[in-house]
PDB file of all heavy atoms in Angstrom:
ATOM      1  N   GLY A 168      80.489  83.476  93.413  1.00 94.00           N
ATOM      2  CA  GLY A 168      81.593  84.449  93.208  1.00 94.00           C
ATOM      3  C   GLY A 168      81.563  85.652  94.231  1.00 94.00           C
ATOM      4  O   GLY A 168      80.464  86.239  94.487  1.00 94.00           O
ATOM      5  N   ARG A 169      82.711  85.864  94.834  1.00 93.00           N
ATOM      6  CA  ARG A 169      82.893  86.801  95.932  1.00 93.00           C
ATOM      7  C   ARG A 169      83.102  88.242  95.389  1.00 93.00           C
ATOM      8  O   ARG A 169      83.339  89.116  96.160  1.00 93.00           O
ATOM      9  CB  ARG A 169      83.979  86.349  96.845  1.00 93.00           C
ATOM     10  CG  ARG A 169      83.808  84.983  97.626  1.00 93.00           C
ATOM     11  CD  ARG A 169      82.394  84.882  98.203  1.00 93.00           C
ATOM     12  NE  ARG A 169      82.386  83.806  99.183  1.00 93.00           N
ATOM     13  CZ  ARG A 169      81.555  82.805  99.197  1.00 93.00           C
ATOM     14  NH1 ARG A 169      80.641  82.699  98.267  1.00 93.00           N
ATOM     15  NH2 ARG A 169      81.626  81.917 100.245  1.00 93.00           N
ATOM     16  N   GLY A 170      83.100  88.382  94.099  1.00 85.00           N
ATOM     17  CA  GLY A 170      83.348  89.639  93.532  1.00 85.00           C
ATOM     18  C   GLY A 170      82.179  90.623  93.552  1.00 85.00           C
ATOM     19  O   GLY A 170      82.297  91.737  93.118  1.00 85.00           O
ATOM     20  N   GLY A 171      81.017  90.142  93.871  1.00 78.00           N
ATOM     21  CA  GLY A 171      79.848  91.016  93.959  1.00 78.00           C
ATOM     22  C   GLY A 171      78.643  90.394  93.353  1.00 78.00           C
ATOM     23  O   GLY A 171      77.495  90.608  93.830  1.00 78.00           O
ATOM     24  N   GLY A 172      78.784  89.794  92.189  1.00 80.00           N
ATOM     25  CA  GLY A 172      77.539  89.214  91.496  1.00 80.00           C
ATOM     26  C   GLY A 172      76.921  88.024  92.169  1.00 80.00           C
ATOM     27  O   GLY A 172      75.792  87.766  92.057  1.00 80.00           O
ATOM     28  N   GLY A 173      77.809  87.215  92.768  1.00 90.00           N
ATOM     29  CA  GLY A 173      77.436  85.963  93.429  1.00 90.00           C
ATOM     30  C   GLY A 173      76.929  84.828  92.405  1.00 90.00           C
ATOM     31  O   GLY A 173      76.190  84.010  92.760  1.00 90.00           O
ATOM     32  N   ASN A 196      90.547  88.550  89.033  1.00 96.00           N
ATOM     33  CA  ASN A 196      90.122  89.934  89.250  1.00 96.00           C
ATOM     34  C   ASN A 196      90.714  90.423  90.629  1.00 96.00           C
ATOM     35  O   ASN A 196      90.116  90.054  91.629  1.00 96.00           O
ATOM     36  CB  ASN A 196      88.665  90.154  89.148  1.00 96.00           C
ATOM     37  CG  ASN A 196      88.292  91.613  89.208  1.00 96.00           C
ATOM     38  OD1 ASN A 196      89.148  92.494  89.570  1.00 96.00           O
ATOM     39  ND2 ASN A 196      86.999  91.901  88.979  1.00 96.00           N
ATOM     40  N   ASP A 198      91.399  93.732  90.926  1.00 91.00           N
ATOM     41  CA  ASP A 198      91.253  95.145  90.684  1.00 91.00           C
ATOM     42  C   ASP A 198      90.255  95.719  91.717  1.00 91.00           C
ATOM     43  O   ASP A 198      89.263  96.289  91.291  1.00 91.00           O
ATOM     44  CB  ASP A 198      90.840  95.515  89.263  1.00 91.00           C
ATOM     45  CG  ASP A 198      90.980  96.987  88.896  1.00 91.00           C
ATOM     46  OD1 ASP A 198      92.122  97.522  89.060  1.00 91.00           O
ATOM     47  OD2 ASP A 198      89.978  97.559  88.618  1.00 91.00           O
ATOM     48  N   GLU A 199      90.538  95.643  92.941  1.00 87.00           N
ATOM     49  CA  GLU A 199      89.630  95.931  94.037  1.00 87.00           C
ATOM     50  C   GLU A 199      89.502  97.444  94.126  1.00 87.00           C
ATOM     51  O   GLU A 199      90.451  98.183  94.570  1.00 87.00           O
ATOM     52  CB  GLU A 199      90.172  95.365  95.330  1.00 87.00           C
ATOM     53  CG  GLU A 199      89.382  95.412  96.461  1.00 87.00           C
ATOM     54  CD  GLU A 199      90.050  94.671  97.630  1.00 87.00           C
ATOM     55  OE1 GLU A 199      91.276  94.909  97.837  1.00 87.00           O
ATOM     56  OE2 GLU A 199      89.395  93.826  98.257  1.00 87.00           O
ATOM     57  N   GLY A 200      88.350  98.016  93.702  1.00 80.00           N
ATOM     58  CA  GLY A 200      88.330  99.466  93.626  1.00 80.00           C
ATOM     59  C   GLY A 200      87.286 100.137  94.518  1.00 80.00           C
ATOM     60  O   GLY A 200      87.225 101.358  94.561  1.00 80.00           O
ATOM     61  N   ASP A 201      86.522  99.386  95.315  1.00 82.00           N
ATOM     62  CA  ASP A 201      85.533 100.004  96.191  1.00 82.00           C
ATOM     63  C   ASP A 201      86.198 100.843  97.253  1.00 82.00           C
ATOM     64  O   ASP A 201      87.151 100.395  97.858  1.00 82.00           O
ATOM     65  CB  ASP A 201      84.651  98.917  96.901  1.00 82.00           C
ATOM     66  CG  ASP A 201      83.716  98.158  95.922  1.00 82.00           C
ATOM     67  OD1 ASP A 201      83.885  98.414  94.715  1.00 82.00           O
ATOM     68  OD2 ASP A 201      82.965  97.375  96.433  1.00 82.00           O
ATOM     69  N   PRO A 202      85.720 102.049  97.526  1.00 81.00           N
ATOM     70  CA  PRO A 202      86.326 102.853  98.619  1.00 81.00           C
ATOM     71  C   PRO A 202      86.181 102.097  99.949  1.00 81.00           C
ATOM     72  O   PRO A 202      85.237 101.566 100.353  1.00 81.00           O
ATOM     73  CB  PRO A 202      85.405 104.127  98.676  1.00 81.00           C
ATOM     74  CG  PRO A 202      84.793 104.260  97.256  1.00 81.00           C
ATOM     75  CD  PRO A 202      84.626 102.791  96.763  1.00 81.00           C
ATOM     76  N   GLY A 203      87.338 101.929 100.645  1.00 81.00           N
ATOM     77  CA  GLY A 203      87.406 101.338 101.912  1.00 81.00           C
ATOM     78  C   GLY A 203      87.520  99.825 101.842  1.00 81.00           C
ATOM     79  O   GLY A 203      87.492  99.140 102.917  1.00 81.00           O
ATOM     80  N   ALA A 204      87.576  99.237 100.672  1.00 85.00           N
ATOM     81  CA  ALA A 204      87.716  97.739 100.537  1.00 85.00           C
ATOM     82  C   ALA A 204      89.154  97.321 100.349  1.00 85.00           C
ATOM     83  O   ALA A 204      89.786  97.858  99.536  1.00 85.00           O
ATOM     84  CB  ALA A 204      86.825  97.255  99.365  1.00 85.00           C
ATOM     85  N   PHE A 205      89.547  96.308 101.103  1.00 90.00           N
ATOM     86  CA  PHE A 205      90.875  95.882 100.914  1.00 90.00           C
ATOM     87  C   PHE A 205      91.023  94.272 101.221  1.00 90.00           C
ATOM     88  O   PHE A 205      92.058  93.805 101.650  1.00 90.00           O
ATOM     89  CB  PHE A 205      91.913  96.632 101.727  1.00 90.00           C
ATOM     90  CG  PHE A 205      91.494  96.653 103.270  1.00 90.00           C
ATOM     91  CD1 PHE A 205      92.087  95.863 104.179  1.00 90.00           C
ATOM     92  CD2 PHE A 205      90.552  97.577 103.679  1.00 90.00           C
ATOM     93  CE1 PHE A 205      91.772  95.918 105.549  1.00 90.00           C
ATOM     94  CE2 PHE A 205      90.229  97.680 104.983  1.00 90.00           C
ATOM     95  CZ  PHE A 205      90.857  96.826 105.989  1.00 90.00           C
ATOM     96  N   MET A 206      89.950  93.557 100.914  1.00 92.00           N
ATOM     97  CA  MET A 206      89.988  92.107 101.184  1.00 92.00           C
ATOM     98  C   MET A 206      90.918  91.416 100.252  1.00 92.00           C
ATOM     99  O   MET A 206      91.766  90.637 100.745  1.00 92.00           O
ATOM    100  CB  MET A 206      88.569  91.557 100.978  1.00 92.00           C
ATOM    101  CG  MET A 206      87.435  92.164 101.823  1.00 92.00           C
ATOM    102  SD  MET A 206      86.874  93.797 101.308  1.00 92.00           S
ATOM    103  CE  MET A 206      86.290  93.438  99.663  1.00 92.00           C
ATOM    104  N   ASP A 207      90.794  91.626  99.048  1.00 94.00           N
ATOM    105  CA  ASP A 207      91.647  90.969  98.004  1.00 94.00           C
ATOM    106  C   ASP A 207      93.087  91.347  98.223  1.00 94.00           C
ATOM    107  O   ASP A 207      94.005  90.445  98.114  1.00 94.00           O
ATOM    108  CB  ASP A 207      91.169  91.305  96.576  1.00 94.00           C
ATOM    109  CG  ASP A 207      89.822  90.709  96.246  1.00 94.00           C
ATOM    110  OD1 ASP A 207      89.345  89.904  97.089  1.00 94.00           O
ATOM    111  OD2 ASP A 207      89.215  91.068  95.238  1.00 94.00           O
ATOM    112  N   ILE A 210      94.578  89.293 101.029  1.00 97.00           N
ATOM    113  CA  ILE A 210      94.844  87.967 100.712  1.00 97.00           C
ATOM    114  C   ILE A 210      96.100  87.767  99.871  1.00 97.00           C
ATOM    115  O   ILE A 210      96.969  86.888 100.094  1.00 97.00           O
ATOM    116  CB  ILE A 210      93.637  87.280 100.076  1.00 97.00           C
ATOM    117  CG1 ILE A 210      92.461  87.147 100.983  1.00 97.00           C
ATOM    118  CG2 ILE A 210      93.937  85.923  99.516  1.00 97.00           C
ATOM    119  CD1 ILE A 210      91.148  86.776 100.344  1.00 97.00           C
ATOM    120  N   TYR A 242      98.753  98.613  94.590  1.00 94.00           N
ATOM    121  CA  TYR A 242      99.002  97.555  95.604  1.00 94.00           C
ATOM    122  C   TYR A 242     100.454  97.017  95.441  1.00 94.00           C
ATOM    123  O   TYR A 242     100.682  95.832  95.148  1.00 94.00           O
ATOM    124  CB  TYR A 242      97.992  96.410  95.362  1.00 94.00           C
ATOM    125  CG  TYR A 242      96.569  96.698  95.766  1.00 94.00           C
ATOM    126  CD1 TYR A 242      95.648  95.688  95.520  1.00 94.00           C
ATOM    127  CD2 TYR A 242      96.181  97.799  96.323  1.00 94.00           C
ATOM    128  CE1 TYR A 242      94.306  95.861  95.963  1.00 94.00           C
ATOM    129  CE2 TYR A 242      94.938  98.087  96.767  1.00 94.00           C
ATOM    130  CZ  TYR A 242      93.948  96.997  96.523  1.00 94.00           C
ATOM    131  OH  TYR A 242      92.601  97.284  96.906  1.00 94.00           O
ATOM    132  N   PHE A 284      88.019 102.039  88.263  1.00 87.00           N
ATOM    133  CA  PHE A 284      87.003 101.174  88.836  1.00 87.00           C
ATOM    134  C   PHE A 284      86.239 100.355  87.833  1.00 87.00           C
ATOM    135  O   PHE A 284      85.899  99.199  88.211  1.00 87.00           O
ATOM    136  CB  PHE A 284      86.086 102.155  89.641  1.00 87.00           C
ATOM    137  CG  PHE A 284      84.995 101.389  90.415  1.00 87.00           C
ATOM    138  CD1 PHE A 284      85.284 100.595  91.468  1.00 87.00           C
ATOM    139  CD2 PHE A 284      83.671 101.582  90.222  1.00 87.00           C
ATOM    140  CE1 PHE A 284      84.343  99.915  92.213  1.00 87.00           C
ATOM    141  CE2 PHE A 284      82.647 101.013  90.921  1.00 87.00           C
ATOM    142  CZ  PHE A 284      83.037 100.161  91.916  1.00 87.00           C
ATOM    143  N   GLY A 287      86.948  96.700  87.053  1.00 88.00           N
ATOM    144  CA  GLY A 287      86.474  95.543  87.879  1.00 88.00           C
ATOM    145  C   GLY A 287      85.400  94.746  87.185  1.00 88.00           C
ATOM    146  O   GLY A 287      85.040  93.638  87.504  1.00 88.00           O
ATOM    147  N   ASN A 324      87.311  86.306  91.230  1.00 95.00           N
ATOM    148  CA  ASN A 324      88.062  87.344  92.081  1.00 95.00           C
ATOM    149  C   ASN A 324      88.943  86.597  93.054  1.00 95.00           C
ATOM    150  O   ASN A 324      88.841  85.353  93.225  1.00 95.00           O
ATOM    151  CB  ASN A 324      87.172  88.298  92.680  1.00 95.00           C
ATOM    152  CG  ASN A 324      86.662  88.003  94.016  1.00 95.00           C
ATOM    153  OD1 ASN A 324      86.324  86.800  94.249  1.00 95.00           O
ATOM    154  ND2 ASN A 324      86.667  88.898  94.914  1.00 95.00           N
ATOM    155  N   VAL A 325      89.755  87.306  93.712  1.00 97.00           N
ATOM    156  CA  VAL A 325      90.824  86.764  94.649  1.00 97.00           C
ATOM    157  C   VAL A 325      90.151  85.861  95.757  1.00 97.00           C
ATOM    158  O   VAL A 325      90.620  84.746  95.992  1.00 97.00           O
ATOM    159  CB  VAL A 325      91.723  87.867  95.259  1.00 97.00           C
ATOM    160  CG1 VAL A 325      92.562  87.336  96.378  1.00 97.00           C
ATOM    161  CG2 VAL A 325      92.477  88.564  94.215  1.00 97.00           C
ATOM    162  N   GLU A 326      89.104  86.439  96.429  1.00 96.00           N
ATOM    163  CA  GLU A 326      88.546  85.741  97.518  1.00 96.00           C
ATOM    164  C   GLU A 326      87.887  84.460  97.103  1.00 96.00           C
ATOM    165  O   GLU A 326      87.972  83.442  97.847  1.00 96.00           O
ATOM    166  CB  GLU A 326      87.549  86.604  98.242  1.00 96.00           C
ATOM    167  CG  GLU A 326      86.991  86.051  99.493  1.00 96.00           C
ATOM    168  CD  GLU A 326      85.934  86.886 100.167  1.00 96.00           C
ATOM    169  OE1 GLU A 326      85.758  88.050  99.854  1.00 96.00           O
ATOM    170  OE2 GLU A 326      85.156  86.234 100.902  1.00 96.00           O
ATOM    171  N   THR A 327      87.281  84.464  95.961  1.00 97.00           N
ATOM    172  CA  THR A 327      86.626  83.233  95.365  1.00 97.00           C
ATOM    173  C   THR A 327      87.715  82.164  95.286  1.00 97.00           C
ATOM    174  O   THR A 327      87.537  81.035  95.702  1.00 97.00           O
ATOM    175  CB  THR A 327      85.984  83.515  94.037  1.00 97.00           C
ATOM    176  OG1 THR A 327      85.129  84.604  94.089  1.00 97.00           O
ATOM    177  CG2 THR A 327      85.284  82.310  93.535  1.00 97.00           C
ATOM    178  N   LYS A 354      82.299  84.777 104.195  1.00 97.00           N
ATOM    179  CA  LYS A 354      82.543  86.021 103.411  1.00 97.00           C
ATOM    180  C   LYS A 354      83.414  86.933 104.214  1.00 97.00           C
ATOM    181  O   LYS A 354      83.234  87.154 105.420  1.00 97.00           O
ATOM    182  CB  LYS A 354      81.227  86.744 103.130  1.00 97.00           C
ATOM    183  CG  LYS A 354      81.332  87.928 102.256  1.00 97.00           C
ATOM    184  CD  LYS A 354      81.752  87.635 100.790  1.00 97.00           C
ATOM    185  CE  LYS A 354      82.099  88.865 100.020  1.00 97.00           C
ATOM    186  NZ  LYS A 354      83.449  89.425 100.330  1.00 97.00           N
ATOM    187  N   VAL A 355      84.397  87.562 103.469  1.00 96.00           N
ATOM    188  CA  VAL A 355      85.325  88.523 104.099  1.00 96.00           C
ATOM    189  C   VAL A 355      84.683  89.894 103.857  1.00 96.00           C
ATOM    190  O   VAL A 355      84.261  90.230 102.782  1.00 96.00           O
ATOM    191  CB  VAL A 355      86.741  88.407 103.502  1.00 96.00           C
ATOM    192  CG1 VAL A 355      87.588  89.501 104.174  1.00 96.00           C
ATOM    193  CG2 VAL A 355      87.282  87.024 103.614  1.00 96.00           C
ATOM    194  N   PHE A 356      84.764  90.747 104.974  1.00 95.00           N
ATOM    195  CA  PHE A 356      84.318  92.088 104.863  1.00 95.00           C
ATOM    196  C   PHE A 356      85.381  93.056 105.318  1.00 95.00           C
ATOM    197  O   PHE A 356      86.078  92.736 106.262  1.00 95.00           O
ATOM    198  CB  PHE A 356      83.031  92.343 105.647  1.00 95.00           C
ATOM    199  CG  PHE A 356      81.814  91.616 105.202  1.00 95.00           C
ATOM    200  CD1 PHE A 356      81.481  90.403 105.742  1.00 95.00           C
ATOM    201  CD2 PHE A 356      81.095  92.167 104.152  1.00 95.00           C
ATOM    202  CE1 PHE A 356      80.362  89.724 105.223  1.00 95.00           C
ATOM    203  CE2 PHE A 356      79.926  91.451 103.732  1.00 95.00           C
ATOM    204  CZ  PHE A 356      79.594  90.267 104.267  1.00 95.00           C
ATOM    205  N   ALA A 357      85.475  94.158 104.707  1.00 95.00           N
ATOM    206  CA  ALA A 357      86.361  95.327 105.150  1.00 95.00           C
ATOM    207  C   ALA A 357      85.451  96.245 106.034  1.00 95.00           C
ATOM    208  O   ALA A 357      84.644  96.967 105.471  1.00 95.00           O
ATOM    209  CB  ALA A 357      87.004  96.088 103.940  1.00 95.00           C
ATOM    210  N   LEU A 367      89.563  93.735 108.798  1.00 96.00           N
ATOM    211  CA  LEU A 367      89.038  92.774 108.006  1.00 96.00           C
ATOM    212  C   LEU A 367      88.333  91.641 108.894  1.00 96.00           C
ATOM    213  O   LEU A 367      88.989  91.215 109.830  1.00 96.00           O
ATOM    214  CB  LEU A 367      90.185  92.031 107.166  1.00 96.00           C
ATOM    215  CG  LEU A 367      90.664  92.610 105.922  1.00 96.00           C
ATOM    216  CD1 LEU A 367      91.658  91.792 105.189  1.00 96.00           C
ATOM    217  CD2 LEU A 367      89.541  92.938 104.937  1.00 96.00           C
ATOM    218  N   VAL A 368      87.211  91.284 108.503  1.00 97.00           N
ATOM    219  CA  VAL A 368      86.481  90.186 109.286  1.00 97.00           C
ATOM    220  C   VAL A 368      86.018  89.147 108.309  1.00 97.00           C
ATOM    221  O   VAL A 368      85.642  89.499 107.229  1.00 97.00           O
ATOM    222  CB  VAL A 368      85.275  90.729 110.137  1.00 97.00           C
ATOM    223  CG1 VAL A 368      85.800  91.908 110.978  1.00 97.00           C
ATOM    224  CG2 VAL A 368      84.169  91.232 109.238  1.00 97.00           C
ATOM    225  N   THR A 398      76.575  98.307 102.572  1.00 93.00           N
ATOM    226  CA  THR A 398      77.270  97.190 102.070  1.00 93.00           C
ATOM    227  C   THR A 398      77.336  97.267 100.548  1.00 93.00           C
ATOM    228  O   THR A 398      76.446  97.823  99.907  1.00 93.00           O
ATOM    229  CB  THR A 398      76.548  95.838 102.493  1.00 93.00           C
ATOM    230  OG1 THR A 398      75.204  95.776 101.885  1.00 93.00           O
ATOM    231  CG2 THR A 398      76.285  95.762 103.992  1.00 93.00           C
ATOM    232  N   GLY A 399      78.348  96.588 100.008  1.00 88.00           N
ATOM    233  CA  GLY A 399      78.518  96.537  98.546  1.00 88.00           C
ATOM    234  C   GLY A 399      79.197  97.702  97.879  1.00 88.00           C
ATOM    235  O   GLY A 399      79.160  97.746  96.677  1.00 88.00           O
ATOM    236  N   GLY A 400      79.725  98.592  98.601  1.00 84.00           N
ATOM    237  CA  GLY A 400      80.558  99.717  98.009  1.00 84.00           C
ATOM    238  C   GLY A 400      79.637 100.699  97.330  1.00 84.00           C
ATOM    239  O   GLY A 400      78.416 100.733  97.546  1.00 84.00           O
ATOM    240  N   PRO A 401      80.164 101.343  96.284  1.00 86.00           N
ATOM    241  CA  PRO A 401      79.403 102.306  95.553  1.00 86.00           C
ATOM    242  C   PRO A 401      78.164 101.672  94.798  1.00 86.00           C
ATOM    243  O   PRO A 401      77.262 102.328  94.447  1.00 86.00           O
ATOM    244  CB  PRO A 401      80.348 102.854  94.496  1.00 86.00           C
ATOM    245  CG  PRO A 401      81.732 102.476  95.075  1.00 86.00           C
ATOM    246  CD  PRO A 401      81.541 101.209  95.789  1.00 86.00           C
ATOM    247  N   SER A 402      78.227 100.368  94.691  1.00 85.00           N
ATOM    248  CA  SER A 402      77.111  99.619  93.932  1.00 85.00           C
ATOM    249  C   SER A 402      76.075  99.108  94.900  1.00 85.00           C
ATOM    250  O   SER A 402      74.999  98.629  94.542  1.00 85.00           O
ATOM    251  CB  SER A 402      77.695  98.404  93.242  1.00 85.00           C
ATOM    252  OG  SER A 402      78.680  98.788  92.286  1.00 85.00           O
ATOM    253  N   GLY A 403      76.325  99.396  96.247  1.00 88.00           N
ATOM    254  CA  GLY A 403      75.422  98.779  97.241  1.00 88.00           C
ATOM    255  C   GLY A 403      74.392  99.798  97.724  1.00 88.00           C
ATOM    256  O   GLY A 403      74.112 100.845  97.129  1.00 88.00           O
ATOM    257  N   TYR A 417      73.743  86.726 100.091  1.00 94.00           N
ATOM    258  CA  TYR A 417      73.424  87.344  98.890  1.00 94.00           C
ATOM    259  C   TYR A 417      71.993  87.749  98.818  1.00 94.00           C
ATOM    260  O   TYR A 417      71.646  88.953  98.435  1.00 94.00           O
ATOM    261  CB  TYR A 417      73.819  86.490  97.665  1.00 94.00           C
ATOM    262  CG  TYR A 417      75.283  86.265  97.550  1.00 94.00           C
ATOM    263  CD1 TYR A 417      75.894  85.080  98.012  1.00 94.00           C
ATOM    264  CD2 TYR A 417      76.054  87.144  96.866  1.00 94.00           C
ATOM    265  CE1 TYR A 417      77.275  84.831  97.860  1.00 94.00           C
ATOM    266  CE2 TYR A 417      77.430  86.976  96.692  1.00 94.00           C
ATOM    267  CZ  TYR A 417      78.026  85.814  97.192  1.00 94.00           C
ATOM    268  OH  TYR A 417      79.400  85.613  97.139  1.00 94.00           O
ATOM    269  N   MET A 426      73.282  95.061  98.651  1.00 90.00           N
ATOM    270  CA  MET A 426      73.829  93.893  97.945  1.00 90.00           C
ATOM    271  C   MET A 426      75.140  93.534  98.658  1.00 90.00           C
ATOM    272  O   MET A 426      75.704  94.288  99.464  1.00 90.00           O
ATOM    273  CB  MET A 426      74.156  94.172  96.482  1.00 90.00           C
ATOM    274  CG  MET A 426      75.083  95.263  96.233  1.00 90.00           C
ATOM    275  SD  MET A 426      75.311  95.613  94.469  1.00 90.00           S
ATOM    276  CE  MET A 426      76.079  94.049  93.828  1.00 90.00           C
ATOM    277  N   MET A 427      75.651  92.380  98.345  1.00 89.00           N
ATOM    278  CA  MET A 427      76.850  91.886  99.024  1.00 89.00           C
ATOM    279  C   MET A 427      78.057  92.673  98.434  1.00 89.00           C
ATOM    280  O   MET A 427      79.005  93.052  99.289  1.00 89.00           O
ATOM    281  CB  MET A 427      77.098  90.349  98.748  1.00 89.00           C
ATOM    282  CG  MET A 427      78.298  89.826  99.422  1.00 89.00           C
ATOM    283  SD  MET A 427      78.038  89.421 101.137  1.00 89.00           S
ATOM    284  CE  MET A 427      77.031  87.937 101.010  1.00 89.00           C
ATOM    285  N   GLY A 428      78.139  92.864  97.197  1.00 84.00           N
ATOM    286  CA  GLY A 428      79.280  93.488  96.534  1.00 84.00           C
ATOM    287  C   GLY A 428      80.485  92.691  96.786  1.00 84.00           C
ATOM    288  O   GLY A 428      80.491  91.447  97.112  1.00 84.00           O
ATOM    289  N   SER A 429      81.646  93.268  96.734  1.00 83.00           N
ATOM    290  CA  SER A 429      82.942  92.506  96.952  1.00 83.00           C
ATOM    291  C   SER A 429      83.227  92.443  98.432  1.00 83.00           C
ATOM    292  O   SER A 429      84.064  91.604  98.880  1.00 83.00           O
ATOM    293  CB  SER A 429      84.142  93.212  96.246  1.00 83.00           C
ATOM    294  OG  SER A 429      84.215  94.532  96.819  1.00 83.00           O
ATOM    295  N   GLY A 430      82.553  93.186  99.365  1.00 87.00           N
ATOM    296  CA  GLY A 430      82.673  93.050 100.793  1.00 87.00           C
ATOM    297  C   GLY A 430      83.003  94.216 101.539  1.00 87.00           C
ATOM    298  O   GLY A 430      83.347  94.170 102.719  1.00 87.00           O
ATOM    299  N   GLY A 431      82.777  95.380 100.972  1.00 89.00           N
ATOM    300  CA  GLY A 431      82.961  96.672 101.776  1.00 89.00           C
ATOM    301  C   GLY A 431      81.818  96.785 102.734  1.00 89.00           C
ATOM    302  O   GLY A 431      80.554  96.489 102.420  1.00 89.00           O
ATOM    303  N   MET A 432      82.046  97.278 103.931  1.00 94.00           N
ATOM    304  CA  MET A 432      80.988  97.414 104.918  1.00 94.00           C
ATOM    305  C   MET A 432      81.284  98.732 105.707  1.00 94.00           C
ATOM    306  O   MET A 432      82.159  98.737 106.603  1.00 94.00           O
ATOM    307  CB  MET A 432      80.825  96.254 105.818  1.00 94.00           C
ATOM    308  CG  MET A 432      79.658  96.266 106.790  1.00 94.00           C
ATOM    309  SD  MET A 432      79.431  94.808 107.746  1.00 94.00           S
ATOM    310  CE  MET A 432      78.805  93.636 106.516  1.00 94.00           C
TER     311      MET A 432
END
Side-chain angles (χ1 to χ4, degrees):
R169 300 310 198 232
N196 182 354
D198 190 60
E199 187 173 51
D201 291 10
F205 52 101
M206 300 77 60
D207 293 349
I210 292 172
Y242 287 178
F284 183 62
N324 87 323
V325 171
E326 186 187 341
T327 309
K354 181 70 187 79
V355 180
F356 293 97
L367 282 184
V368 306
T398 66
S402 303
Y417 292 99
M426 63 185 294
M427 183 80 73
S429 60
M432 188 174 284

